[in-house]
Amino acid sequence: MASEHTYKEYDNELESVRAKVLEMGGIVEEQLVNAIEALVKSDPQMAQGVMDSDQRVNELEIEVDEDCSRIIARRQPAAGDLRMIMMILKTITDLERIGDEATKIARTALRINEDNRMTKLRFSEVKTMVEVVRQMLRTSLDSFARMDVSKTVEIAKKDELVDEQYRSTIRQLVTFMLEDPRTISMSLEVMFVAKAIERIGDHAKNISEYIVYTVKGKDIRHASIKEIQKTIKE
Amino acid sequence: MASEHTYKEYDNELESVRAKVLEMGGIVEEQLVNAIEALVKSDPQMAQGVMDSDQRVNELEIEVDEDCSRIIARRQPAAGDLRMIMMILKTITDLERIGDEATKIARTALRINEDNRMTKLRFSEVKTMVEVVRQMLRTSLDSFARMDVSKTVEIAKKDELVDEQYRSTIRQLVTFMLEDPRTISMSLEVMFVAKAIERIGDHAKNISEYIVYTVKGKDIRHASIKEIQKTIKE
């Protein structure tokens, strides 16, 4: 029979997994910020740091996967805990992919640094996007830590804003390229960075949606903002 | 105590989940093929069909998620079955994202169709890439159906080929744009389609890696082809 001791162990195991997810979240948030910093300041060392962090993110993903399997096999979690574990499994996939996108941006920073013609490129177009995406990620991680669904709509609206910023960035860059074909290579680099940032926003939004699934037992992926609002209020 | 009847029910449940995963796989493979067809032949109806299929893919993802939760909660699966369920949960995320990428390509096909200047655009650059990616996806799904790891290295090598084809496509398109700036908008459309196809390749490769995890109990994500070869042989 399960003793109080066993329950305490089980609680500690769940807490340790949640802590690892938040550690992963902290690293990828730093990767995002530093990747952009490396790009804007042409700082190859900082870019290298972002790429180095990716290994730790990958390790954590595998660790958390194994922890979750072990908890399911040994503890036979009840419905609520099981939903949380399922949600953690999904969350770490998104966090790992945020790390990948940040690593891609860091690689761009290294490449651009090698190419002198490009060092003067301003990445002002993407800076506002990054700020919004960073807020989205931070809010999702905070909501995860507190299992709080109150920010879901705010995050979904920010994702729409980022999508609009992304489209506007692309339009702007196309105009630059048409006006002066010498800007083509540079503009493409900015374009792919913008794409990576936009995807990081998608992943942050996914995480906030899993929290709703955990807390409300309702899957709101592919739902409209109106439907999300309804679910949160229920 | 579990009766033979219960075991049979349990087997049927697992079989039904696997069948749904394969159904999802079949739909997204068709989405990929039709999205490219819609693009090459400027066929808006076919493009619309790809977009319509996405809803079924999303529904299946949610269904499989729920089925897996229910099986874990009610059947307390043993280690091997649990690994398979964990792997199914990851596989459907990748399949859903393949559907998303195919839908993006279909949306491009619709947009290009509306724009007469662009209808003459040839997508020959991406056709070989699509063929390789489609083989990757097909092989991954076949391997999933038979829980077979023998094609993992073949798929990883094809993924490297696709990455090289992608980079070469981008270089070619940049050359076109520089030579004739009037091709900029068109070239960008091709570029984003190429990017979507390259990502579909990544997802197909992910699926093949989950199979190794299920069969060999070893996580080969982030491993080199040499390391993968070693794991498969063990």
Side-chain angles (χ1 to χ4, degrees):
Chain A
M1 227 184 86
S3 67
E4 202 172 316
H5 177 70
T6 314
Y7 284 129
K8 190 147 177 58
E9 255 181 29
Y10 176 35
D11 275 351
N12 287 345
E13 281 172 20
L14 285 178
E15 202 33 65
S16 145
V17 172
R18 286 161 51 100
K20 281 183 193 170
V21 175
L22 288 171
E23 186 190 344
M24 258 183 102
I27 299 173
V28 303
E29 188 187 343
E30 198 178 275
Q31 280 184 303
L32 168 63
V33 173
N34 289 351
I36 300 296
E37 185 98 346
L39 202 59
V40 173
K41 300 198 176 154
S42 296
D43 184 337
Q45 264 187 312
M46 186 162 271
Q48 192 56 52
V50 173
M51 291 159 71
D52 294 343
S53 295
D54 213 39
Q55 207 192 327
R56 179 71 189 133
V57 172
N58 295 342
E59 282 167 8
L60 277 167
E61 188 194 12
I62 291 174
E63 269 182 49
V64 172
D65 255 349
E66 287 169 355
D67 291 350
C68 287
S69 295
R70 203 172 36 242
I71 292 176
I72 292 175
R74 288 174 43 186
R75 305 293 184 184
Q76 296 160 0
D81 285 345
L82 182 57
R83 269 214 301 273
M84 196 179 75
I85 291 168
M86 303 280 281
M87 171 263 204
I88 285 174
L89 289 171
K90 290 187 186 292
T91 299
I92 55 172
T93 305
D94 286 275
L95 289 177
E96 193 267 335
R97 287 181 190 167
I98 292 175
D100 279 351
E101 299 293 345
T103 304
K104 276 185 217 162
I105 298 174
R107 242 183 253 128
T108 306
L110 272 188
R111 195 170 50 239
I112 287 180
N113 195 57
E114 283 162 7
D115 186 340
N116 278 323
R117 284 179 304 129
M118 283 186 174
T119 44
K120 275 160 202 144
L121 176 62
R122 286 164 37 232
F123 278 85
S124 58
E125 285 80 8
V126 299
K127 271 188 146 179
T128 31
M129 262 183 91
V130 172
E131 204 30 65
V132 182
V133 166
R134 192 198 173 172
Q135 285 164 16
M136 287 173 71
L137 179 57
R138 169 68 61 89
T139 309
S140 280
L141 292 169
D142 281 353
S143 301
F144 172 87
R146 292 182 278 114
M147 279 296 134
D148 169 17
V149 299
S150 67
K151 303 289 168 60
T152 321
V153 172
E154 184 187 312
I155 291 170
K157 282 186 180 161
K158 279 194 174 143
D159 190 53
E160 288 189 347
L161 173 63
V162 169
D163 289 351
E164 182 44 42
Q165 287 174 326
Y166 170 71
R167 283 189 295 270
S168 135
T169 302
I170 300 292
R171 279 193 300 270
Q172 235 181 335
L173 289 166
V174 171
T175 310
F176 288 161
M177 289 193 267
L178 287 167
E179 281 171 359
D180 181 0
R182 285 168 304 174
T183 67
I184 287 177
S185 299
M186 287 192 250
S187 300
L188 286 177
E189 299 281 5
V190 185
M191 218 172 252
F192 283 114
V193 168
K195 182 86 192 146
I197 297 167
E198 185 262 337
R199 292 198 83 99
I200 293 177
D202 288 344
H203 291 300
K205 179 171 168 261
N206 289 345
I207 294 171
S208 78
E209 291 173 351
Y210 307 145
I211 301 168
V212 176
Y213 166 73
T214 315
V215 176
K216 299 277 176 181
K218 212 158 179 181
D219 205 317
I220 58 159
R221 286 173 292 184
H222 322 297
S224 68
I225 286 190
K226 225 171 172 173
E227 289 161 345
I228 296 173
Q229 271 168 328
K230 205 174 146 262
T231 305
I232 304 293
K233 277 190 198 140
E234 271 168 8
Chain B
M1 226 182 90
S3 66
E4 201 172 316
H5 177 70
T6 314
Y7 284 129
K8 189 144 179 61
E9 256 182 29
Y10 176 34
D11 275 351
N12 287 343
E13 281 173 19
L14 285 178
E15 202 33 66
S16 144
V17 172
R18 286 161 52 101
K20 280 183 193 169
V21 175
L22 289 171
E23 186 190 343
M24 258 183 102
I27 299 174
V28 303
E29 187 188 344
E30 198 179 275
Q31 279 184 303
L32 168 62
V33 172
N34 290 351
I36 300 296
E37 184 98 347
L39 202 58
V40 174
K41 298 197 177 155
S42 295
D43 183 338
Q45 265 186 312
M46 186 162 271
Q48 191 57 51
V50 172
M51 291 159 72
D52 294 344
S53 296
D54 213 40
Q55 207 192 327
R56 179 70 189 132
V57 173
N58 294 342
E59 282 167 8
L60 276 167
E61 188 194 13
I62 291 174
E63 267 181 51
V64 172
D65 254 348
E66 287 170 355
D67 290 351
C68 288
S69 296
R70 203 171 37 241
I71 292 176
I72 293 175
R74 287 173 44 186
R75 304 294 183 186
Q76 296 160 0
D81 285 345
L82 183 57
R83 270 214 300 273
M84 195 179 76
I85 291 168
M86 301 282 280
M87 170 264 204
I88 285 175
L89 288 172
K90 290 186 186 294
T91 299
I92 56 171
T93 304
D94 285 276
L95 289 177
E96 194 267 335
R97 288 182 189 167
I98 292 175
D100 278 351
E101 299 292 345
T103 303
K104 277 184 217 162
I105 298 173
R107 243 183 253 128
T108 306
L110 270 189
R111 196 170 48 240
I112 287 180
N113 196 57
E114 282 162 6
D115 186 340
N116 278 323
R117 284 179 303 130
M118 285 186 174
T119 43
K120 276 159 202 144
L121 175 61
R122 285 164 38 232
F123 279 87
S124 58
E125 284 81 8
V126 299
K127 271 187 147 179
T128 31
M129 261 182 92
V130 172
E131 204 29 65
V132 182
V133 165
R134 192 197 172 173
Q135 284 164 17
M136 286 173 71
L137 179 57
R138 169 68 61 91
T139 309
S140 279
L141 292 168
D142 281 354
S143 302
F144 172 87
R146 292 181 278 114
M147 280 295 134
D148 169 17
V149 299
S150 67
K151 302 288 169 60
T152 320
V153 173
E154 182 187 314
I155 291 171
K157 283 185 180 162
K158 278 194 175 143
D159 190 53
E160 288 189 348
L161 173 63
V162 169
D163 289 350
E164 183 43 43
Q165 287 174 326
Y166 170 70
R167 283 190 294 269
S168 135
T169 303
I170 300 293
R171 279 194 299 270
Q172 234 181 336
L173 290 166
V174 171
T175 310
F176 288 162
M177 289 194 268
L178 287 168
E179 280 170 359
D180 182 359
R182 284 169 303 173
T183 66
I184 287 177
S185 298
M186 288 193 250
S187 299
L188 285 177
E189 299 282 2
V190 184
M191 216 172 254
F192 283 113
V193 168
K195 180 85 191 149
I197 297 167
E198 185 264 333
R199 291 199 83 99
I200 293 177
D202 287 343
H203 291 299
K205 179 171 167 260
N206 289 345
I207 294 171
S208 78
E209 291 174 349
Y210 307 145
I211 301 168
V212 176
Y213 166 73
T214 313
V215 175
K216 299 277 178 181
K218 212 158 177 181
D219 205 318
I220 57 158
R221 287 173 292 182
H222 322 298
S224 68
I225 286 189
K226 226 171 172 174
E227 289 161 345
I228 297 172
Q229 269 166 330
K230 202 174 148 265
T231 306
I232 304 294
K233 276 190 198 141
E234 271 167 9

